[in-house]
Amino acid sequence: MNLDAEEIRLRLPHIELAGCLFGPKNGQPVIALHGWMDNLMTFARLVPHLRGLRILALDMAGHGHSAPRPTGASYSLFDYAVDALHAADFMGWQRFSLLGHSLGAIISAMLAAAMPERIDKLALIDGLIALTIPAQHAPGAMTAALSALASPKIRQSRAHPDRQSAITARMRGIVGVNQEAAERLAVRGLAESAEGFRWNNDPRLKLPSHIYLTPEQAHAFTRALSMPTCLILAEQGLLKVRPGVEQLLKELPLCVHQLPGRHHLHLESEQSAQAIAERFNRFFAT
């Protein structure tokens, strides 16, 4: 990471994760969780502008430089929450705050709702509520997940002939990013082999989930949040288009700031990163 960062390996009871530490050692403890198929470099623009925080940014399991889940294990929201708690214990942090983007924001909100005695504050970027399905669709979702896991060969990520081709593929991904954002994510996400350049995320991350929350369950987690929470909403992001989110945000005592930009606004634009940091610095200082 092209920042004043300390690389760290977290040998947890069940998995080994990679991370970076930023900020003063006596700063407020914060664990930062990135989005799906990203890595901790998603915070590369934002972190330099944050003040007074001791941030542990993680490559989540199966992403970046962290280990994948063991064979037979899955990438559920619950498992990511367990990882975050073990990471806090590894650091000796009984209480800490969470900074999350997208999937990382969803995990942060669910963990905070379930374990409020451990969490001081929540700082979220374009993420809050888990993807949901109606209860009657749950058996079919599990059928799809079991069938995918039973496949004799899970398709590996595509090998690209050169680095720029791999970066271009990330720019055109399911959630696209601009060139500079893709290049930053490539620092920890791209690996060279005899076949070419591959994104090193565990291919199982793309398999269907075995279980989803219902809308009622997902909203119950959000309504259970009791700690100060600051949410950055991207004008062209993904959270705004989720059904029922606009009404839910009106009902919750959250500090919400809507800013111009896409889903990765904190990484794609220096101006957006500074604007987010300005709001988060005020939030953490109060």
Side-chain angles (χ1 to χ4, degrees):
M1 200 169 205
N2 189 24
L3 299 167
D4 185 14
E6 175 189 344
E7 290 275 351
I8 184 173
R9 300 294 300 185
L10 292 84
R11 292 175 176 84
L12 307 181
H14 61 301
I15 197 169
E16 183 171 323
L17 301 181
C20 283
L21 285 165
F22 307 94
K25 291 184 178 180
N26 63 347
Q28 298 180 53
V30 178
I31 291 180
L33 303 176
H34 59 76
W36 179 70
M37 303 299 284
D38 290 341
N39 55 65
L40 66 81
M41 284 298 291
T42 195
F43 300 110
R45 280 193 187 272
L46 180 62
V47 163
H49 302 293
L50 297 176
R51 299 190 298 269
L53 306 179
R54 183 61 165 171
I55 300 173
L56 169 62
L58 294 174
D59 284 337
M60 298 199 301
H63 297 77
H65 293 171
S66 286
R69 300 275 187 220
T71 301
S74 63
Y75 289 93
S76 72
L77 298 174
F78 174 83
D79 293 311
Y80 285 125
V82 170
D83 294 343
L85 281 178
H86 278 300
D89 293 340
F90 182 92
M91 297 297 297
W93 295 345
Q94 178 58 32
R95 289 187 63 85
F96 57 98
S97 295
L98 288 162
L99 165 62
H101 168 245
S102 192
L103 172 63
I106 294 168
I107 296 162
S108 296
M110 293 182 68
L111 174 56
M115 303 287 287
E117 69 277 7
R118 297 290 305 267
I119 310 302
D120 282 328
K121 294 184 178 182
L122 282 179
L124 310 177
I125 303 172
D126 214 47
L128 177 65
I129 305 167
L131 293 175
T132 64
I133 60 173
Q136 64 268 26
H137 293 170
M142 183 168 285
T143 298
L146 290 171
S147 298
L149 281 173
S151 174
K153 186 176 181 181
I154 296 173
R155 196 172 81 177
Q156 296 295 309
S157 61
R158 176 187 169 191
H160 302 273
D162 53 65
R163 191 173 187 276
Q164 183 54 51
S165 298
I167 288 173
T168 299
R170 179 63 186 87
M171 293 170 63
R172 297 172 179 170
I174 296 174
V175 182
V177 296
N178 63 17
Q179 170 87 22
E180 190 170 354
E183 288 177 347
R184 288 178 183 267
L185 293 172
V187 171
R188 298 179 75 88
L190 205 56
E192 185 177 8
S193 67
E195 293 80 22
F197 290 81
R198 295 182 189 272
W199 288 93
N200 59 12
N201 296 326
D202 188 341
R204 291 178 295 165
L205 290 166
K206 294 184 177 180
L207 297 181
S209 177
H210 66 289
I211 190 166
Y212 291 85
L213 298 180
T214 66
E216 294 80 8
Q217 289 173 318
H219 288 190
F221 274 97
T222 308
R223 291 191 174 95
L225 294 175
S226 57
M227 65 290 301
T229 301
C230 183
L231 170 64
I232 301 297
L233 200 60
E235 287 184 355
Q236 292 83 45
L238 300 182
L239 187 56
K240 283 185 67 177
V241 300
R242 295 280 303 280
V245 166
E246 187 173 353
Q247 180 59 39
L248 182 65
L249 293 180
K250 292 178 181 178
E251 300 171 3
L252 298 173
L254 308 180
C255 170
V256 180
H257 300 280
Q258 183 168 288
L259 295 176
R262 302 192 300 174
H263 186 55
H264 286 78
L265 74 166
H266 62 298
L267 181 61
E268 291 191 314
S269 163
E270 182 67 21
Q271 182 179 1
S272 293
Q274 291 180 6
I276 294 169
E278 177 184 338
R279 287 152 177 82
F280 281 169
N281 283 330
R282 289 201 302 265
F283 171 67
F284 279 107
T286 56

